Amino acid sequence: MRCLAARVNYKTLIVICALFTLVMVLLWNRCSSDRAGPFPRSLAGPERRAAAAASESDLARQQSEEASPQEQQKAPPVAGGFNGNKAPGLKYEEIDCLINDEHTVKGRREGNEVFLPFSWVEKYFEVYGKIAQYDGYDRFEFSHSYSKVYTQRAPYHPDGVFMSFEGYNVEVRDRVKCISGVEGVPLSTQWGPQGYFYPIQIAQYGLSHYSKNLTEKPPHIEVYETAEEKDKTSRSADWTVPKGCSLSTVSDKAKFTSVKQFVAPENTEGVSLQLGNTRDFIISFDLKFITNGSISVVLETTEKNQLFTVHYVSNTQLIAFKDRDIYYGIGPRTSWSTVTRDLVTDLRKGVGLSNTKAVKQTKIMPKRVVRLVAKGRGFLDNVTISATAHMAAFFAASNWLVRNQDERGGWPIMVTRKLGEGFKSLDPGWYSAMAQGQAISTLVRAYLLTKDHAFLSSALRATAPYKLPSEQRGVKAVFMNRHDWYEEYPTSPSSFVLNGFMYSLIGLYDLKETAGEKLGKEARVLYERGMESLKAMLPLYDTGSGTIYDLRHFMLGTAPNLARWDYHTTHINQLQLLSTIDESPIFKEFVKRWKSYLRGGRAKHN
């Protein structure tokens, strides 16, 4: 050994030690890299943050299906780990971004990454986003679309909830002038500030309240007056009768019960019933006038606690507003009828009254129903205040449809409608297949509830316009001389609006299922022809990234009329319903693809 060591000089020992050290360094770096994670050490700061974001995103996707809602509520980690502040060593700098060689916007640069202002991105790509608080953190929430697809209740039944209409609030729309005091249904200003009865809107008003009645809990009801001394469910009536007025309890032969008779000349304060309800705002009462008169409701409001009064008057005036008094004509009411009014809607429509199409926005709300005041001569009974009165609204719509159906089986729309350039205007008196279908759906439900054949007969007569072309004041069109189509707008040339057509088919389905084999034969034939057309023509409405509202690009040779996201989700919701009553795979296939468009999905390119 001494001989061997002697032969190895000191230079050789130095080389061996250097090689050993180099091997150790390489092994140490290799081990450190394996422990550090999946990012290559050669990546610069921005690239490492992008890789980290991708890795965390993949992990989040894997865990999201298994995580509980509470776990998913926690704020996500910030990519790069700098909690909203600039990363150390990296600075933002402004950079000009040239867009399509046309104009320039100011962006920001961080290393090799460039950021464009979201205000520009939002408009350019028609996407949506906002900064929101989430579990104590600020985060930016991005969405490709703004509308929602509802879970379909399967299977669909004609006596069940209508699509997702329990979420509709027709009366609060700014294009609803008010709820008519005489008819009890909405008056539309969609295409004219004067207001008109629009059967689609009225049917939707009825269907929404019908659906709410099935999905909500029974309402709280407070009884204030029944004129029955033994009625323990009502409060002790607190009436005020000023000088010159009278109030008495009398027996009414028509109602087989006791009622309150009032006499209060117009020049007096009127007889008043103290209410004091701060919880609910749907008032209802049975009324019969002997002379002209009024029932007024005094409201304490959020407007500096000021008192506003809503007057229900025995005339036919639609609505008026002066100072803090709102007037609704309710007709003569010379025979017993029930008046049910939503005081929130009546107050806000009165204060927001305008001469334009839209009701003015207002923040005013009632805080307390103070009292009811009766003037004139007449009778009152069953004064109540409740949280909701959905079935009263539903039957107001159903009865309106029966009363206002014409001899041709339709509900004429008494306003001019211009669908767009290239289409002839529809003169007042036109029919709509969507109106016919939704009216049928409303009437069928009224019949199933009451077994009153007046509702079913009206629904059966409503199929007549389906069989006539638009030139003969019907709603039928034929696509390529082959496919029957029922027009929401029976224009010339035909427009082939998709959502209105599907609503018309749902109405026919409701009728054929309810009327039976014999009475429902005509509805069945019309429905089957329409479904054949829908299955054949559905691909024409698919853009590869969204849907199309109608076929004007085919009929007029113009640019396509792309469906807004809310119409796109309506198309999906309708197809989901139809997929529960027709097993054809086309409906589920289109639902799946059209849902993907809401998240930015696109059809493949060549």
Side-chain angles (χ1 to χ4, degrees), residues 337-484:
S337 63
T338 301
V339 177
T340 303
R341 302 298 298 184
D342 182 338
L343 296 170
V344 175
T345 300
D346 285 350
L347 172 67
R348 291 169 63 86
K349 295 295 183 183
V351 173
L353 188 63
S354 72
N355 293 320
T356 64
K357 290 182 180 180
V359 174
K360 290 184 294 187
Q361 294 296 312
T362 176
K363 294 181 180 179
I364 193 170
M365 291 288 287
K367 288 174 59 178
R368 184 166 64 101
V369 186
V370 180
R371 61 182 174 271
L372 176 149
V373 181
K375 289 186 178 182
R377 293 179 59 198
F379 303 92
L380 266 175
D381 196 18
N382 295 328
V383 180
T384 66
I385 293 179
S386 61
T388 60
H390 295 313
M391 295 315 289
F394 169 70
F395 280 113
S398 302
N399 289 323
W400 186 92
L401 291 168
V402 172
R403 288 196 307 270
N404 290 275
Q405 187 177 32
D406 67 12
E407 69 282 355
R408 299 168 64 92
W411 290 274
I413 299 169
M414 303 309 295
V415 66
T416 300
R417 175 71 169 119
K418 176 74 172 176
L419 187 59
E421 290 298 321
F423 292 111
K424 293 181 181 178
S425 294
L426 294 170
D427 295 326
W430 54 280
Y431 301 123
S432 166
M434 179 172 168
Q436 298 296 121
Q438 291 192 337
I440 290 172
S441 293
T442 306
L443 292 165
V444 161
R445 284 163 170 78
Y447 167 72
L448 291 172
L449 276 175
T450 65
K451 301 304 178 184
D452 184 342
H453 279 270
F455 295 121
L456 181 60
S457 297
S458 180
L460 290 167
R461 290 196 301 274
T463 60
Y466 282 79
K467 298 177 287 184
L468 296 175
S470 57
E471 307 87 64
Q472 299 178 30
R473 289 194 64 205
V475 298
K476 180 182 173 182
V478 181
F479 184 75
M480 299 291 286
N481 298 316
R482 183 174 180 180
H483 299 296
D484 287 0

Side-chain angles (χ1 to χ4, degrees), residues 479 495-496 537 540-541 549-556:
F479 184 75
S495 46
F496 300 102
M537 295 173 62
L540 301 178
Y541 294 86
Y549 179 79
D550 56 29
L551 296 185
R552 67 182 64 192
H553 59 294
F554 186 88
M555 302 303 296
L556 298 174

Side-chain angles (χ1 to χ4, degrees), residues 500-527:
F501 176 57
M502 287 195 278
Y503 277 129
S504 77
L505 294 178
I506 296 169
L508 290 172
Y509 175 82
D510 287 344
L511 183 56
K512 82 176 184 69
E513 290 295 298
T514 303
E517 186 174 349
K518 185 177 180 180
L519 288 176
K521 180 180 179 181
E522 193 169 74
R524 178 178 57 78
V525 171
L526 292 168
Y527 169 78

Side-chain angles (χ1 to χ4, degrees), residues 156-170 199-215 390-391 393-398 401 434-446 503 506-507 510:
Y156 172 78
H157 292 293
D159 62 349
V161 171
F162 187 83
M163 285 186 52
S164 57
F165 273 38
E166 74 277 12
Y168 279 33
N169 294 294
V170 175
I200 289 177
Q201 198 173 77
I202 292 168
Q204 290 183 354
Y205 177 69
L207 289 168
S208 68
H209 281 284
Y210 178 91
S211 299
K212 288 175 192 290
N213 188 65
L214 292 179
T215 55
H390 295 313
M391 295 315 289
F394 169 70
F395 280 113
S398 302
L401 291 168
M434 179 172 168
Q436 298 296 121
Q438 291 192 337
I440 290 172
S441 293
T442 306
L443 292 165
V444 161
R445 284 163 170 78
Y503 277 129
I506 296 169
D510 287 344

Side-chain angles (χ1 to χ4, degrees), residues 178-194:
C178 65
I179 302 299
S180 164
V182 175
E183 301 287 353
V185 295
L187 204 78
S188 177
T189 56
Q190 189 165 343
W191 299 313
Q194 75 283 359

